[in-house]
């Protein structure tokens, strides 16, 4: 059985991967954050965002995990107790058998994790075919795509499911401070009620969240509402100075409470911007499983909850999606913005 893990924080990838590898007796774990369709590629072990190396991209200012080193072998080695190797592009370009042979050779040499280059979708499919032979692999959703395509084989062209939208209003929770999310908020602000949350009050005033929910509830009958803690890097720096380095986790927990409050008020279609925020919201709502539906944007499918209250979700990393993402996600849920 193949297990694919996608830790929510880059600082935990090494420890989580090693713990799972030990539990599963995995000889070596292929690792890649590549997802070329979203502009994330890996070449010679270095991560690129579009045409820029990681440390020159907007991710260098990520509020929780600022990324200043594009050499993924070096980054993962700092988090790992075992050796970290590289499956370079000259091997990847030869296909799944060559990738598998290189991984086996690295395992024989004592390496327990290996960064794998990928610059195109066929690279991910080749990696997926090789990774299917192993008990564990770690990566971004691009690796999940490669695994799925390799596993489905001849049925790769199957049509996605069509779901009937559940009743109830829609809402958006934005916790990401990525430039893409800030642009997406600005794009819908002329047409949707946008509640830009006062973070200092959200963290320190117990009644502030209730007031924000009451204001949102009054507008839900008219259409979707958006609650946002998203801010520019300078504001994030001020918040860290004022509230400590764990301010991100505290904001995520506060947003998850707001999401639960919206669901209590009837929301059944929920869009969440921010990887860590999405995880906090799903945990708070107690959603045990999600069914994957049609793609809204590269790396962001429509999701349906399994068990409990029927809901539709769109959960995205902050940097995913174009400026019109929120409109597209609402349309996929049967909502006109």
């Amino acid at each position: 059985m193949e297990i694919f893990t996608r830790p929510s924080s880059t600082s935990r990838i090494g420890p989580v991967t090693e713990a799972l590898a030990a539990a599963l007796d995995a000889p070596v774990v292929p690792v890649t954050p590549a997802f070329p369709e979203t502009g994330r590629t890996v070449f010679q072990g270095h991560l690129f965002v579009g045409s820029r190396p990681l440390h020159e991209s907007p991710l260098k200012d990520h509020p929780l995990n600022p990324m200043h080193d594009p050499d993924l072998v070096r980054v993962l080695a700092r988090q790992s107790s075992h050796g970290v190797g590289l499956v370079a592009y000259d091997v990847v370009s030869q296909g799944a058998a060559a990738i598998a042979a290189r991984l086996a050779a690295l395992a024989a040499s004592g390496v327990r994790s290996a960064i794998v280059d990928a610059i195109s979708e066929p690279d991910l499919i080749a990696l997926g075919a090789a990774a299917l032979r192993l008990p564990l692999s770690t990566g971004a959703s691009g690796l999940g795509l490669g695994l799925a395509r390799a596993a489905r084989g001849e049925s790769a062209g199957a049509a996605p499911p069509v779901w009937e939208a559940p009743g109830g209003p829609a809402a958006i929770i934005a916790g990401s401070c990525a430039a893409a999310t800030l642009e997406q908020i600005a794009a819908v602000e002329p047409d949707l009620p946008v509640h830009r949350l006062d973070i200092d009050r959200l963290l320190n005033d117990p009644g502030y969240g209730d007031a924000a929910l009451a204001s949102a509830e009054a507008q839900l009958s008219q259409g979707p509402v958006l609650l946002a803690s998203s801010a520019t890097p300078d504001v994030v720096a001020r918040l860290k100075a004022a509230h400590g380095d764990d301010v991100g986790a505290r904001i995520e927990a506060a947003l998850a409470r707001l999401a639960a409050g919206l669901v209590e008020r009837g929301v059944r279609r929920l869009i969440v911007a921010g990887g860590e925020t999405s995880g906090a919201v799903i945990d708070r709502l107690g959603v045990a499983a999600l069914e994957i539906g049609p793609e809204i944007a590269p790396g962001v499918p429509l999701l349906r909850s399994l068990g409990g209250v029927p809901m539709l979700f769109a959960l995205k990393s902050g940097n995913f999606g174009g400026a019109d993402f929120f409109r597209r996600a609402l349309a996929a849920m049967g909502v006109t913005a």
Side-chain angles (χ1 to χ4, degrees):
M1 178 180 67
E2 165 69 30
I3 292 180
F4 163 64
T5 178
R6 185 173 184 258
S8 62
S9 169
T10 56
S11 63
R12 296 196 292 266
I13 291 174
V16 170
T17 296
E18 288 195 328
L20 287 172
L24 296 169
D25 197 24
V28 64
V29 181
V31 180
T32 187
F35 195 172
E37 196 174 358
T38 64
R40 306 315 193 259
T41 56
V42 180
F43 183 73
Q44 295 300 316
H46 287 64
L47 179 59
F48 289 79
V49 180
S51 62
R52 310 303 300 176
L54 179 66
H55 66 299
E56 296 179 8
S57 77
L59 292 176
K60 70 181 186 299
D61 297 318
H62 191 284
L64 298 180
N65 301 295
M67 303 174 195
H68 300 143
D69 189 350
D71 187 332
L72 300 182
V73 175
R74 188 163 55 209
V75 170
L76 191 58
R78 288 197 291 266
Q79 304 176 17
S80 306
S81 60
H82 297 291
V84 177
L86 172 66
V87 181
Y89 190 71
D90 60 338
V91 174
V92 173
S93 63
Q94 298 175 51
I99 296 171
R102 174 61 175 161
L103 288 169
L106 289 170
S109 71
V111 167
R112 290 294 174 263
S113 299
I115 301 297
V116 184
D117 283 354
I119 63 174
S120 68
E121 186 173 306
D123 299 332
L124 292 175
I125 296 172
L127 171 57
L132 281 174
R133 309 172 191 178
L134 298 168
L136 177 68
S137 53
T138 297
S141 45
L143 176 55
L145 178 149
L147 287 165
R149 295 280 170 84
R152 290 192 306 180
E154 294 300 321
S155 63
V162 177
W163 296 328
E164 181 179 350
I172 304 169
I173 296 284
S176 170
C177 296
T181 296
L182 295 176
E183 183 180 23
Q184 290 155 1
I185 295 170
V188 296
E189 195 159 17
D191 302 309
L192 297 185
V194 174
H195 298 257
R196 294 185 178 271
L197 301 168
D198 183 321
I199 303 303
D200 294 302
R201 292 186 64 191
L202 183 66
L203 296 178
N204 296 319
D205 181 354
Y208 180 73
D210 292 336
L213 283 171
S215 178
E217 183 179 17
Q219 297 167 317
L220 282 172
S221 62
Q222 305 301 314
V225 298
L226 191 159
L227 280 66
S229 67
S230 307
T232 55
D234 59 315
V235 174
V236 172
R238 181 190 67 77
L239 289 169
K240 281 188 173 182
H243 299 284
D245 289 338
D246 67 341
V247 65
R250 293 175 61 198
I251 293 171
E252 291 154 20
L255 291 176
R257 288 193 295 273
L258 292 177
L262 289 170
V263 172
E264 289 171 0
R265 288 160 174 80
V267 167
R268 295 295 180 264
R269 290 170 278 191
L270 186 62
I271 301 165
V272 186
E276 286 82 3
T277 306
S278 295
V281 167
I282 291 298
D283 286 347
R284 178 79 184 206
L285 295 179
V287 177
L290 293 161
E291 183 180 0
I292 298 175
E295 186 177 70
I296 300 169
V300 190
L302 185 65
L303 302 167
R304 181 170 65 172
S305 62
L306 298 176
V309 178
M311 289 191 65
L312 293 182
F313 292 93
L315 311 173
K316 82 175 194 77
S317 169
N319 283 291
F320 279 23
D324 64 343
F325 174 79
F326 290 145
R327 294 184 192 281
R328 292 179 62 180
L330 289 168
M333 295 176 170
V335 180
T336 301

